[in-house]
């Protein structure tokens, strides 16, 4: 026992009044191990199948992330104390430095606060399909500073959390299983309007991903500068692959237009050149 006490009281480092002993490192390691074990138990109990029957998996993940960050912050404070670093004195003595760091890392702190909001508010969840700045992204992970998503090109995207909380974001997953989509197209003036509407509705109904139990409707949207502008609206449960679906429907529309000699005009501009009178 005396040998063990001597080993634990052995000084590894001594700088002025600060002494780092073996016992401090042992306690720090024990704190890390205990924290990891407690978090493992919490995660295992939270993600049991019977628990997921009552709670959404995204909600459970968000709650676990908050618990994990709180535990590690507390554990970090205890580790510093075990190593002989007084946390209260450290914070008080470095107040001015912390202000400078805070100004320099303002955007980072903004992202972290946004991450806490996302994890606590749970307006965005794992597997939600979002539209951010025109891009469709499926959320894979929500972190404290950044979130990770997968776009329609199967490319992983790292998204700062502040981009989600401060910008206009469409969450397609908050809707029902069916969502309404639209495709715009223009035809030449003089084309039979009712016939074009019929073709547009048939083209949308002909795609297997379009739900025909809901209304498929084509409209004359506007009298454009060089075309009659139409819009076809339809419902589908396909969200993440909606670009591919709309491309297929456009191909069907184009084939039917070619078959029935319906032209899609291109913008035209008439330029009139006036010649100046000759001066003798």
């Amino acid at each position: 026992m005396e040998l063990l006490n001597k080993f634990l009281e052995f000084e590894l480092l001594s700088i002025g009044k600060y002494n780092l002993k073996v016992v401090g490192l042992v306690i720090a390691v024990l704190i890390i191990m205990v924290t990891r074990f407690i978090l493992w138990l919490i995660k295992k109990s939270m993600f049991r199948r019977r628990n997921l029957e009552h709670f959404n998996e995204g909600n459970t993940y968000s709650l676990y992330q908050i618990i994990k960050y709180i535990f590690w912050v507390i554990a970090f404070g205890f580790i510093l104390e075990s190593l002989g670093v007084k946390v209260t004195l450290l914070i008080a003595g470095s107040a001015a430095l912390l202000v400078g760091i805070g100004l320099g890392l303002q955007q980072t702190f903004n992202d972290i606060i946004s991450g806490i909001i996302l994890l606590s508010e749970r307006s965005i969840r794992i597997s939600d399909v979002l539209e951010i700045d025109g891009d469709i992204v499926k959320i894979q992970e929500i972190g404290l500073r950044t979130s990770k998503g997968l776009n329609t090109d199967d490319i992983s995207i790292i998204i700062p959390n502040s981009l989600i909380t401060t910008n206009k974001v469409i969450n397609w997953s908050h809707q029902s299983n069916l969502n309404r989509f639209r495709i715009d197209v223009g035809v030449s003036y003089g084309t039979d309007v009712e016939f074009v509407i019929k073709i547009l509705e048939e083209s949308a109904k002909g795609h297997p991903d379009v739900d025909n139990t809901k209304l498929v409707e084509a409209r004359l949207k506007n009298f454009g500068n060089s075309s009659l502008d139409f819009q076809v609206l339809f419902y589908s449960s396909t969200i993440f692959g909606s670009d591919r679906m709309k491309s297929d429907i456009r191909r069907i529309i184009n084939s039917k237009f070619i078959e029935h000699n319906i032209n899609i005009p291109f913008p035209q501009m008439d330029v009139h050149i006036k010649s100046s009178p000759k001066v003798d």
Side-chain angles (χ1 to χ4, degrees):
M1 183 62 69
E2 184 178 352
L3 182 61
L4 179 60
N5 289 334
K6 288 183 179 180
F7 174 74
L8 293 176
E9 293 296 327
F10 180 75
E11 291 186 359
L12 296 173
L13 182 64
S14 179
I15 302 176
K17 295 182 179 180
Y18 175 74
N19 296 317
L20 176 61
K21 299 181 179 180
V22 174
V23 64
L25 288 178
V26 172
I27 294 174
V29 172
L30 286 175
I31 292 172
I32 294 173
M33 293 176 63
V34 170
T35 303
R36 290 176 65 91
F37 179 72
I38 293 174
L39 289 174
W40 177 79
L41 288 178
I42 294 174
K43 185 176 182 180
K44 188 175 181 180
S45 62
M46 291 180 66
F47 283 86
R48 284 178 182 171
R49 181 171 298 180
R50 62 185 181 187
N51 288 339
L52 292 181
E53 291 177 358
H54 301 284
F55 298 96
N56 181 278
E57 184 177 355
N59 293 347
T60 306
Y61 174 83
S62 300
L63 180 60
Y64 172 72
Q65 287 290 95
I66 295 174
I67 293 173
K68 184 176 72 172
Y69 291 131
I70 292 174
F71 266 79
W72 277 119
V73 168
I74 296 173
F76 183 70
F78 279 117
I79 289 172
L80 290 179
E81 288 286 346
S82 68
L83 296 177
V85 179
K86 299 298 181 181
V87 178
T88 54
L89 295 177
L90 181 64
I91 294 176
S94 58
L97 178 62
L98 291 175
V99 171
I101 293 175
L103 293 174
L105 299 177
Q106 185 175 1
Q107 185 58 47
T108 301
F109 289 146
N110 187 18
D111 291 333
I112 292 174
I113 297 300
S114 299
I116 295 174
I117 292 172
L118 290 176
L119 291 170
S120 59
E121 192 179 59
R122 295 177 294 182
S123 57
I124 308 297
R125 303 169 183 171
I126 303 299
S127 299
D128 277 4
V129 178
L130 309 181
E131 184 175 341
I132 306 174
D133 290 340
D135 293 330
I136 303 297
V137 179
K138 186 174 184 179
I139 298 299
Q140 295 178 308
E141 179 181 333
I142 301 175
L144 189 61
R145 191 182 68 84
T146 60
S147 298
K148 186 171 72 172
L150 192 71
N151 69 2
T152 53
D153 296 323
D154 289 335
I155 298 175
S156 182
I157 299 177
I158 305 299
I159 309 167
N161 288 329
S162 60
L163 185 66
I164 301 176
T165 57
T166 58
N167 288 10
K168 178 182 177 181
V169 175
I170 298 175
N171 192 333
W172 290 95
S173 301
H174 278 193
Q175 308 297 324
S176 60
N177 291 331
L178 293 176
N179 295 276
R180 191 166 78 165
F181 299 93
R182 61 195 67 197
I183 294 176
D184 297 321
V185 64
V187 301
S188 300
Y189 276 97
T191 308
D192 188 342
V193 172
E194 298 303 322
F195 187 56
V196 172
I197 289 177
K198 180 183 177 182
I199 289 177
L200 293 177
E201 291 178 351
E202 289 178 351
S203 300
K205 291 178 181 178
H207 196 279
D209 289 342
V210 173
D211 192 310
N212 291 320
T213 62
K214 302 282 286 185
L215 178 64
V216 177
E217 180 184 10
R219 303 172 178 174
L220 176 59
K221 184 180 179 183
N222 196 15
F223 296 99
N225 293 330
S226 57
S227 65
L228 293 170
D229 298 332
F230 290 84
Q231 185 179 76
V232 58
L233 302 101
F234 54 90
Y235 287 84
S236 175
S237 59
T238 301
I239 301 175
F240 199 57
S242 60
D243 289 341
R244 186 180 300 107
M245 174 186 62
K246 289 192 284 187
S247 174
D248 293 340
I249 295 175
R250 290 189 185 101
R251 290 166 60 188
I252 296 172
I253 292 171
N254 187 63
S255 298
K256 288 183 178 291
F257 279 2
I258 294 174
E259 180 183 349
H260 295 92
N261 296 318
I262 298 176
N263 296 320
I264 300 177
F266 52 86
Q268 299 183 17
M269 181 181 293
D270 294 331
V271 179
H272 300 277
I273 302 176
K274 292 183 178 181
S275 57
S276 58
K278 293 182 178 180
V279 179
D280 293 334

